[in-house]
Amino acid sequence: MAQTLRKPEIIGIARREGKVTVERLVDHFGVTPQTIRRDLTELADAGQLERVHGGAVLPSTTVNIGYKERRELNQSAKVDIARLCARHIPHDCSVFLNIGTTTEAIAAELLHHQGLLVVTNNTNIAMILAGNPNVEVVVTGGNLRRSDGGLVGELAKQTIDQFRFDLAVIGCSALSEGGDILDFDIQEVGVSKAIIRQSQAVFLAADASKFERRAPAKIADLSEVDIFFTDLQVSDRCEQFCAVNGTKIELAST
């Protein structure tokens, strides 16, 4: 395949999976590692990818990638994480589910739960759970983020402050190796802080691609999370941080 055709496909794979590796691209295109490394270097020089050890990731910016692209990113991993997380959510409890494509996948896995009160600032989650008559759904107010159906801002925080949740399930845009949970939208960060503050227990659901990304705003760190659900083994540094702070790591099979 000509380089002019390979490059758009490499970008497409990166958008779907969050990362491309030299090894996988060599197998995919049937070319040499040197050819792939040259492609990745040129894409990085053009600002379309960012080189990392063994491959490349989408470039870090102060703006999140589009909602449609996020929904397609690591879909199978998100489903595995969602199924594992849902098994840890008991019947007959109050749960907050925040904005994110992984939390939407978790909502889909709650369609057979009973006796839940689910509060959310994600209109997509509200529509998903409308299919379960045994779940009471409360949607916060707030400013509608048209890009992904999220509700953010002061009114969302005021709604959250009226509750005390048994459990919060949150997602994030990025996760640092040192355990910082990060996002792009300052307004969403404020809402997420309120969710954590008003919850007895906190679950974080984030696939491994979040370790390859950076975002500018800190929500919290993993010491404020009871269980971290992800799909691949975390770094030694992150694992040690979780062990010291009593955060359990649950790995989903992919």
Side-chain angles (χ1 to χ4, degrees):
M1 179 184 289
Q3 186 185 51
T4 53
L5 298 177
R6 279 198 310 272
K7 285 184 176 180
E9 190 166 346
I10 290 171
I11 295 295
I13 294 171
R15 289 189 180 280
R16 288 194 303 272
E17 301 183 9
K19 179 180 181 178
V20 290
T21 65
V22 172
E23 182 179 6
R24 176 174 175 189
L25 293 176
V26 166
D27 291 339
H28 183 77
F29 291 110
V31 295
T32 66
Q34 291 80 7
T35 296
I36 292 299
R37 291 191 187 98
R38 184 170 62 249
D39 289 346
L40 296 182
T41 297
E42 291 177 5
L43 286 167
D45 290 343
Q48 294 179 280
L49 288 177
E50 183 176 310
R51 288 302 304 270
V52 296
H53 180 70
V57 297
L58 295 174
S60 301
T61 68
T62 58
V63 179
N64 205 354
I65 62 175
Y67 175 71
K68 181 176 182 295
E69 293 167 328
R70 280 186 282 139
R71 288 193 70 182
E72 296 173 351
L73 192 64
N74 288 348
Q75 283 183 319
S76 62
K78 289 175 183 177
V79 170
D80 288 334
I81 291 169
R83 288 174 178 166
L84 179 60
C85 181
R87 290 201 293 269
H88 285 73
I89 299 175
H91 299 283
D92 302 306
C93 70
S94 57
V95 183
F96 195 101
L97 296 175
N98 80 338
I99 302 169
T101 55
T102 305
T103 49
E104 290 173 20
I106 292 166
E109 296 297 325
L110 297 178
L111 287 175
H112 299 291
H113 271 57
Q114 296 184 357
L116 295 183
L117 167 64
V118 175
V119 183
T120 184
N121 63 329
N122 184 333
T123 57
N124 301 312
I125 284 176
M127 294 305 297
I128 291 168
L129 289 175
N132 185 347
N134 297 308
V135 172
E136 182 178 353
V137 180
V138 175
V139 181
T140 71
N143 300 328
L144 177 65
R145 200 165 65 185
R146 290 179 173 83
S147 61
D148 61 3
L151 296 166
V152 296
E154 190 60 35
L155 186 55
K157 288 192 289 184
Q158 290 175 8
T159 304
I160 291 163
D161 285 339
Q162 305 306 307
F163 291 88
R164 184 65 177 167
F165 306 105
D166 295 316
L167 175 63
V169 183
I170 64 171
C172 65
S173 295
L175 189 62
S176 77
E177 192 176 18
D180 289 335
I181 303 168
L182 306 168
D183 214 301
F184 291 94
D185 187 339
I186 297 297
Q187 289 195 88
E188 184 177 351
V189 167
V191 172
S192 295
K193 287 179 180 291
I195 295 165
I196 293 170
R197 185 176 63 247
Q198 296 300 110
S199 300
Q200 290 288 110
V202 177
F203 292 173
L204 172 67
D207 66 80
S209 71
K210 302 301 172 67
F211 284 101
E212 304 288 351
R213 304 180 67 199
R214 293 194 293 270
K218 180 177 176 178
I219 298 170
D221 63 49
L222 284 170
S223 67
E224 298 177 68
V225 171
D226 294 278
I227 306 179
F228 169 33
F229 296 91
T230 189
D231 58 317
L232 296 177
Q233 187 68 43
V234 302
S235 69
D236 291 342
R237 182 181 175 191
C238 181
E239 186 173 16
Q240 184 177 17
F241 183 89
C242 289
V244 169
N245 289 285
T247 300
K248 186 177 181 182
I249 301 172
E250 289 279 350
L251 293 180
S253 61
T254 56

